[in-house]
Amino acid sequence: KDGIKVDFHKEQMLSNTRLQIDLFLPTINTAIEIDGPSHFKEVWGKNTLSRNIKYDNKKTGLILGKGLVLIRIKQSRDFSNSRGLLVYNKLLEKINSIKHNFPLPGDRDINIGDS
């Protein structure tokens, strides 16, 4: 609706891995990852959390290493339309900022969502 080209579950972008990018915005070289509770809580046990953190760190390094911007959206609360709209507006603000001024390497790892 906002005219932003989005590739969903982008595969084969991260060299020699089976890791997917949740959302990829090719026109502004930006990857978006949606991190639910299993990325930071022991939802399915300690070992699974440890594995998820390891994969997230690897994915972060690969994305940033390609010169892309990474936006991670942390979702720990129950979803509602009002929360979704709030997060979407924050995301749109970040996207517009990236469009107008592509971040320097040290500023390409962006986190939004629940604090």
PDB file of all heavy atoms in Angstrom, residues 64-86:
ATOM      1  N   LEU A  64      24.905  -7.743   7.751  1.00  0.00           N
ATOM      2  CA  LEU A  64      25.708  -6.525   7.850  1.00  0.00           C
ATOM      3  C   LEU A  64      26.975  -6.634   7.010  1.00  0.00           C
ATOM      4  O   LEU A  64      27.414  -5.643   6.413  1.00  0.00           O
ATOM      5  CB  LEU A  64      26.050  -6.228   9.312  1.00  0.00           C
ATOM      6  CG  LEU A  64      24.850  -5.921  10.212  1.00  0.00           C
ATOM      7  CD1 LEU A  64      25.285  -5.755  11.670  1.00  0.00           C
ATOM      8  CD2 LEU A  64      24.091  -4.699   9.734  1.00  0.00           C
ATOM      9  N   GLY A  65      27.532  -7.841   6.921  1.00  0.00           N
ATOM     10  CA  GLY A  65      28.724  -8.067   6.102  1.00  0.00           C
ATOM     11  C   GLY A  65      28.487  -7.840   4.618  1.00  0.00           C
ATOM     12  O   GLY A  65      29.421  -7.555   3.862  1.00  0.00           O
ATOM     13  N   LYS A  66      27.234  -7.963   4.173  1.00  0.00           N
ATOM     14  CA  LYS A  66      26.890  -7.693   2.777  1.00  0.00           C
ATOM     15  C   LYS A  66      26.649  -6.201   2.532  1.00  0.00           C
ATOM     16  O   LYS A  66      26.304  -5.793   1.435  1.00  0.00           O
ATOM     17  CB  LYS A  66      25.638  -8.477   2.368  1.00  0.00           C
ATOM     18  CG  LYS A  66      25.863  -9.971   2.251  1.00  0.00           C
ATOM     19  CD  LYS A  66      24.632 -10.698   1.779  1.00  0.00           C
ATOM     20  CE  LYS A  66      24.359 -10.594   0.320  1.00  0.00           C
ATOM     21  NZ  LYS A  66      25.306 -11.167  -0.603  1.00  0.00           N
ATOM     22  N   GLY A  67      26.788  -5.391   3.580  1.00  0.00           N
ATOM     23  CA  GLY A  67      26.582  -3.955   3.437  1.00  0.00           C
ATOM     24  C   GLY A  67      25.124  -3.535   3.518  1.00  0.00           C
ATOM     25  O   GLY A  67      24.777  -2.407   3.164  1.00  0.00           O
ATOM     26  N   LEU A  68      24.263  -4.454   3.983  1.00  0.00           N
ATOM     27  CA  LEU A  68      22.838  -4.154   4.090  1.00  0.00           C
ATOM     28  C   LEU A  68      22.521  -3.529   5.448  1.00  0.00           C
ATOM     29  O   LEU A  68      23.300  -3.642   6.387  1.00  0.00           O
ATOM     30  CB  LEU A  68      22.021  -5.443   3.947  1.00  0.00           C
ATOM     31  CG  LEU A  68      22.236  -6.273   2.689  1.00  0.00           C
ATOM     32  CD1 LEU A  68      21.470  -7.582   2.782  1.00  0.00           C
ATOM     33  CD2 LEU A  68      21.825  -5.490   1.463  1.00  0.00           C
ATOM     34  N   VAL A  69      21.365  -2.909   5.523  1.00  0.00           N
ATOM     35  CA  VAL A  69      20.823  -2.460   6.800  1.00  0.00           C
ATOM     36  C   VAL A  69      19.980  -3.609   7.345  1.00  0.00           C
ATOM     37  O   VAL A  69      19.296  -4.295   6.591  1.00  0.00           O
ATOM     38  CB  VAL A  69      19.933  -1.206   6.619  1.00  0.00           C
ATOM     39  CG1 VAL A  69      19.232  -0.838   7.917  1.00  0.00           C
ATOM     40  CG2 VAL A  69      20.752  -0.036   6.103  1.00  0.00           C
ATOM     41  N   LEU A  70      20.043  -3.810   8.658  1.00  0.00           N
ATOM     42  CA  LEU A  70      19.220  -4.826   9.315  1.00  0.00           C
ATOM     43  C   LEU A  70      18.308  -4.146  10.323  1.00  0.00           C
ATOM     44  O   LEU A  70      18.774  -3.430  11.213  1.00  0.00           O
ATOM     45  CB  LEU A  70      20.092  -5.858  10.036  1.00  0.00           C
ATOM     46  CG  LEU A  70      19.354  -6.854  10.926  1.00  0.00           C
ATOM     47  CD1 LEU A  70      18.348  -7.680  10.128  1.00  0.00           C
ATOM     48  CD2 LEU A  70      20.331  -7.740  11.665  1.00  0.00           C
ATOM     49  N   ILE A  71      17.006  -4.359  10.159  1.00  0.00           N
ATOM     50  CA  ILE A  71      16.035  -3.901  11.148  1.00  0.00           C
ATOM     51  C   ILE A  71      15.456  -5.136  11.813  1.00  0.00           C
ATOM     52  O   ILE A  71      14.892  -5.995  11.148  1.00  0.00           O
ATOM     53  CB  ILE A  71      14.903  -3.075  10.493  1.00  0.00           C
ATOM     54  CG1 ILE A  71      15.468  -1.842   9.783  1.00  0.00           C
ATOM     55  CG2 ILE A  71      13.870  -2.671  11.547  1.00  0.00           C
ATOM     56  CD1 ILE A  71      14.424  -1.065   8.984  1.00  0.00           C
ATOM     57  N   ARG A  72      15.625  -5.230  13.133  1.00  0.00           N
ATOM     58  CA  ARG A  72      15.032  -6.322  13.900  1.00  0.00           C
ATOM     59  C   ARG A  72      13.833  -5.779  14.647  1.00  0.00           C
ATOM     60  O   ARG A  72      13.936  -4.774  15.346  1.00  0.00           O
ATOM     61  CB  ARG A  72      16.027  -6.926  14.880  1.00  0.00           C
ATOM     62  CG  ARG A  72      17.026  -7.840  14.212  1.00  0.00           C
ATOM     63  CD  ARG A  72      17.694  -8.756  15.232  1.00  0.00           C
ATOM     64  NE  ARG A  72      18.580  -9.677  14.562  1.00  0.00           N
ATOM     65  CZ  ARG A  72      18.196 -10.851  14.046  1.00  0.00           C
ATOM     66  NH1 ARG A  72      16.957 -11.239  14.152  1.00  0.00           N
ATOM     67  NH2 ARG A  72      19.068 -11.630  13.439  1.00  0.00           N
ATOM     68  N   ILE A  73      12.698  -6.458  14.470  1.00  0.00           N
ATOM     69  CA  ILE A  73      11.476  -6.084  15.167  1.00  0.00           C
ATOM     70  C   ILE A  73      11.238  -7.111  16.264  1.00  0.00           C
ATOM     71  O   ILE A  73      11.022  -8.289  15.985  1.00  0.00           O
ATOM     72  CB  ILE A  73      10.274  -6.023  14.204  1.00  0.00           C
ATOM     73  CG1 ILE A  73      10.530  -4.988  13.115  1.00  0.00           C
ATOM     74  CG2 ILE A  73       8.991  -5.736  14.973  1.00  0.00           C
ATOM     75  CD1 ILE A  73       9.473  -4.953  12.032  1.00  0.00           C
ATOM     76  N   LYS A  74      11.309  -6.654  17.505  1.00  0.00           N
ATOM     77  CA  LYS A  74      11.107  -7.530  18.653  1.00  0.00           C
ATOM     78  C   LYS A  74       9.629  -7.533  19.018  1.00  0.00           C
ATOM     79  O   LYS A  74       9.039  -6.495  19.273  1.00  0.00           O
ATOM     80  CB  LYS A  74      11.938  -7.039  19.839  1.00  0.00           C
ATOM     81  CG  LYS A  74      11.846  -7.920  21.059  1.00  0.00           C
ATOM     82  CD  LYS A  74      12.735  -7.391  22.170  1.00  0.00           C
ATOM     83  CE  LYS A  74      12.629  -8.249  23.406  1.00  0.00           C
ATOM     84  NZ  LYS A  74      13.455  -7.714  24.496  1.00  0.00           N
ATOM     85  N   GLN A  75       9.052  -8.733  19.040  1.00  0.00           N
ATOM     86  CA  GLN A  75       7.627  -8.891  19.348  1.00  0.00           C
ATOM     87  C   GLN A  75       7.491  -9.801  20.563  1.00  0.00           C
ATOM     88  O   GLN A  75       7.517 -11.012  20.436  1.00  0.00           O
ATOM     89  CB  GLN A  75       6.883  -9.471  18.137  1.00  0.00           C
ATOM     90  CG  GLN A  75       5.421  -9.716  18.359  1.00  0.00           C
ATOM     91  CD  GLN A  75       4.627  -8.435  18.584  1.00  0.00           C
ATOM     92  OE1 GLN A  75       4.942  -7.396  18.032  1.00  0.00           O
ATOM     93  NE2 GLN A  75       3.619  -8.517  19.402  1.00  0.00           N
ATOM     94  N   SER A  76       7.356  -9.200  21.744  1.00  0.00           N
ATOM     95  CA  SER A  76       7.210 -10.024  22.948  1.00  0.00           C
ATOM     96  C   SER A  76       5.802  -9.951  23.523  1.00  0.00           C
ATOM     97  O   SER A  76       5.413 -10.804  24.304  1.00  0.00           O
ATOM     98  CB  SER A  76       8.219  -9.587  24.022  1.00  0.00           C
ATOM     99  OG  SER A  76       7.976  -8.263  24.430  1.00  0.00           O
ATOM    100  N   ARG A  77       5.056  -8.970  23.145  1.00  0.00           N
ATOM    101  CA  ARG A  77       3.697  -8.812  23.660  1.00  0.00           C
ATOM    102  C   ARG A  77       2.694  -9.451  22.710  1.00  0.00           C
ATOM    103  O   ARG A  77       2.985  -9.683  21.546  1.00  0.00           O
ATOM    104  CB  ARG A  77       3.360  -7.335  23.811  1.00  0.00           C
ATOM    105  CG  ARG A  77       4.291  -6.620  24.758  1.00  0.00           C
ATOM    106  CD  ARG A  77       3.899  -5.192  24.890  1.00  0.00           C
ATOM    107  NE  ARG A  77       4.941  -4.444  25.556  1.00  0.00           N
ATOM    108  CZ  ARG A  77       5.008  -3.144  25.580  1.00  0.00           C
ATOM    109  NH1 ARG A  77       4.088  -2.424  24.980  1.00  0.00           N
ATOM    110  NH2 ARG A  77       5.985  -2.539  26.204  1.00  0.00           N
ATOM    111  N   ASP A  78       1.496  -9.695  23.218  1.00  0.00           N
ATOM    112  CA  ASP A  78       0.426 -10.199  22.363  1.00  0.00           C
ATOM    113  C   ASP A  78       0.142  -9.185  21.269  1.00  0.00           C
ATOM    114  O   ASP A  78       0.158  -7.971  21.495  1.00  0.00           O
ATOM    115  CB  ASP A  78      -0.851 -10.439  23.172  1.00  0.00           C
ATOM    116  CG  ASP A  78      -0.719 -11.638  24.093  1.00  0.00           C
ATOM    117  OD1 ASP A  78       0.150 -12.492  23.839  1.00  0.00           O
ATOM    118  OD2 ASP A  78      -1.490 -11.704  25.066  1.00  0.00           O
ATOM    119  N   PHE A  79      -0.118  -9.689  20.083  1.00  0.00           N
ATOM    120  CA  PHE A  79      -0.376  -8.809  18.949  1.00  0.00           C
ATOM    121  C   PHE A  79      -1.789  -8.241  19.028  1.00  0.00           C
ATOM    122  O   PHE A  79      -2.729  -8.926  19.399  1.00  0.00           O
ATOM    123  CB  PHE A  79      -0.206  -9.561  17.630  1.00  0.00           C
ATOM    124  CG  PHE A  79      -0.382  -8.673  16.439  1.00  0.00           C
ATOM    125  CD1 PHE A  79       0.656  -7.880  16.015  1.00  0.00           C
ATOM    126  CD2 PHE A  79      -1.594  -8.604  15.775  1.00  0.00           C
ATOM    127  CE1 PHE A  79       0.499  -7.038  14.927  1.00  0.00           C
ATOM    128  CE2 PHE A  79      -1.763  -7.764  14.688  1.00  0.00           C
ATOM    129  CZ  PHE A  79      -0.711  -6.979  14.262  1.00  0.00           C
ATOM    130  N   SER A  80      -1.906  -6.982  18.665  1.00  0.00           N
ATOM    131  CA  SER A  80      -3.203  -6.334  18.528  1.00  0.00           C
ATOM    132  C   SER A  80      -3.087  -5.369  17.341  1.00  0.00           C
ATOM    133  O   SER A  80      -1.975  -5.015  16.933  1.00  0.00           O
ATOM    134  CB  SER A  80      -3.581  -5.560  19.789  1.00  0.00           C
ATOM    135  OG  SER A  80      -2.732  -4.439  19.949  1.00  0.00           O
ATOM    136  N   ASN A  81      -4.201  -4.965  16.800  1.00  0.00           N
ATOM    137  CA  ASN A  81      -4.169  -4.026  15.680  1.00  0.00           C
ATOM    138  C   ASN A  81      -3.490  -2.715  16.070  1.00  0.00           C
ATOM    139  O   ASN A  81      -2.720  -2.157  15.280  1.00  0.00           O
ATOM    140  CB  ASN A  81      -5.576  -3.762  15.150  1.00  0.00           C
ATOM    141  CG  ASN A  81      -6.108  -4.949  14.379  1.00  0.00           C
ATOM    142  OD1 ASN A  81      -5.361  -5.788  13.884  1.00  0.00           O
ATOM    143  ND2 ASN A  81      -7.425  -5.041  14.277  1.00  0.00           N
ATOM    144  N   SER A  82      -3.746  -2.224  17.279  1.00  0.00           N
ATOM    145  CA  SER A  82      -3.137  -0.962  17.697  1.00  0.00           C
ATOM    146  C   SER A  82      -1.624  -1.112  17.865  1.00  0.00           C
ATOM    147  O   SER A  82      -0.861  -0.232  17.465  1.00  0.00           O
ATOM    148  CB  SER A  82      -3.780  -0.433  18.982  1.00  0.00           C
ATOM    149  OG  SER A  82      -3.633  -1.350  20.027  1.00  0.00           O
ATOM    150  N   ARG A  83      -1.144  -2.248  18.430  1.00  0.00           N
ATOM    151  CA  ARG A  83       0.300  -2.488  18.536  1.00  0.00           C
ATOM    152  C   ARG A  83       0.914  -2.649  17.151  1.00  0.00           C
ATOM    153  O   ARG A  83       1.991  -2.148  16.892  1.00  0.00           O
ATOM    154  CB  ARG A  83       0.583  -3.757  19.359  1.00  0.00           C
ATOM    155  CG  ARG A  83       0.315  -3.565  20.797  1.00  0.00           C
ATOM    156  CD  ARG A  83       1.449  -3.718  21.773  1.00  0.00           C
ATOM    157  NE  ARG A  83       2.765  -4.041  21.329  1.00  0.00           N
ATOM    158  CZ  ARG A  83       3.755  -3.157  21.299  1.00  0.00           C
ATOM    159  NH1 ARG A  83       3.573  -1.905  21.620  1.00  0.00           N
ATOM    160  NH2 ARG A  83       4.954  -3.525  20.935  1.00  0.00           N
ATOM    161  N   GLY A  84       0.205  -3.366  16.282  1.00  0.00           N
ATOM    162  CA  GLY A  84       0.702  -3.549  14.924  1.00  0.00           C
ATOM    163  C   GLY A  84       0.872  -2.222  14.202  1.00  0.00           C
ATOM    164  O   GLY A  84       1.876  -1.994  13.522  1.00  0.00           O
ATOM    165  N   LEU A  85      -0.078  -1.341  14.357  1.00  0.00           N
ATOM    166  CA  LEU A  85      -0.009  -0.028  13.723  1.00  0.00           C
ATOM    167  C   LEU A  85       1.131   0.801  14.298  1.00  0.00           C
ATOM    168  O   LEU A  85       1.851   1.480  13.563  1.00  0.00           O
ATOM    169  CB  LEU A  85      -1.347   0.698  13.874  1.00  0.00           C
ATOM    170  CG  LEU A  85      -1.475   2.025  13.152  1.00  0.00           C
ATOM    171  CD1 LEU A  85      -1.250   1.855  11.641  1.00  0.00           C
ATOM    172  CD2 LEU A  85      -2.855   2.631  13.396  1.00  0.00           C
ATOM    173  N   LEU A  86       1.333   0.721  15.598  1.00  0.00           N
ATOM    174  CA  LEU A  86       2.419   1.442  16.244  1.00  0.00           C
ATOM    175  C   LEU A  86       3.781   0.973  15.717  1.00  0.00           C
ATOM    176  O   LEU A  86       4.632   1.785  15.340  1.00  0.00           O
ATOM    177  CB  LEU A  86       2.344   1.258  17.759  1.00  0.00           C
ATOM    178  CG  LEU A  86       3.407   1.951  18.596  1.00  0.00           C
ATOM    179  CD1 LEU A  86       3.238   3.458  18.542  1.00  0.00           C
ATOM    180  CD2 LEU A  86       3.316   1.471  20.042  1.00  0.00           C
TER     181      LEU A  86
END
